[in-house]
Amino acid sequence: MSIVRDFQTLEKVMDIVQEAVQRWEPVEDLPLAACQVWRLKSDNYFELAVEGDFFVGASERTLKINFHGVLALSAHDDMLGVTHVSASSSIPLIGSGGQASYRWPLLRVENSHWLRSIPGPTDDCSHFLLLSLECTVEVIAREAIAAWI
């Protein structure tokens, strides 16, 4: 019995270590720029629309992401940090251009501890992490569809 319990504990530790934050590129022409701000709109059917403004040179583009089958949502002031991602997970940077040292604005968290903590069936869900210069939005949802508007 002790060996089984030790193995389950080891499995849990390995899962936490394996949590990884990956760039998410739902549209082909994402600029190498930070999102200025995310705006949220929701309804009573577990749907969520998030719009984000990107400034590239003198032009502004707005990306709209429609989340379907939302199970959890967290939104907070960016100065508070990322609350549902392991402290050991590194956030990818934009990497080049004038905002090379800024964090990539659209992310997915693989092997998410937060997702695993949600009760009920979550096999077809993903943990999305949206960063802007003003706020952080985290969503656990079954589907996300993005397009420029």
Side-chain angles (χ1 to χ4, degrees):
M1 189 72 155
S2 174
I3 293 172
V4 171
R5 192 172 301 128
D6 290 345
F7 180 74
Q8 289 171 338
T9 302
L10 179 61
E11 249 183 346
K12 289 178 185 177
V13 169
M14 287 177 67
D15 281 346
I16 291 170
V17 171
Q18 293 176 355
E19 183 177 71
V21 181
Q22 307 287 330
R23 281 183 182 219
W24 178 46
E25 299 184 34
V27 292
E28 290 182 19
D29 53 349
L30 275 173
L32 294 175
C35 177
Q36 299 300 305
V37 65
W38 293 109
R39 293 178 301 282
L40 289 73
K41 298 176 187 173
S42 187
D43 63 21
N44 292 331
Y45 300 103
F46 299 98
E47 306 293 314
L48 175 69
V50 180
E51 294 179 3
D53 298 327
F54 291 81
F55 292 100
V56 182
S59 64
E60 175 185 349
R61 296 186 79 187
T62 300
L63 182 68
K64 182 175 184 179
I65 307 169
N66 289 311
F67 291 98
H68 304 283
V70 175
L71 297 183
L73 168 66
S74 175
H76 48 84
D77 184 300
D78 198 40
M79 299 308 287
L80 296 176
V82 180
T83 59
H84 297 291
V85 175
S86 168
S88 63
S89 297
S90 64
I91 305 292
L93 301 178
I94 290 173
S96 65
Q99 297 180 342
S101 64
Y102 289 46
R103 299 174 303 170
W104 187 257
L106 300 163
L107 304 154
R108 280 180 105 151
V109 182
E110 303 296 329
N111 299 315
S112 166
H113 177 67
W114 186 37
L115 174 58
R116 287 193 316 271
S117 73
I118 303 280
T122 59
D123 292 344
D124 59 345
C125 292
S126 294
H127 177 177
F128 299 91
L129 174 58
L130 310 177
L131 305 175
S132 77
L133 298 177
E134 295 188 23
C135 63
T136 297
V137 177
E138 294 186 72
V139 180
I140 291 180
R142 299 194 189 294
E143 181 180 39
I145 300 169
W148 294 108
I149 56 172

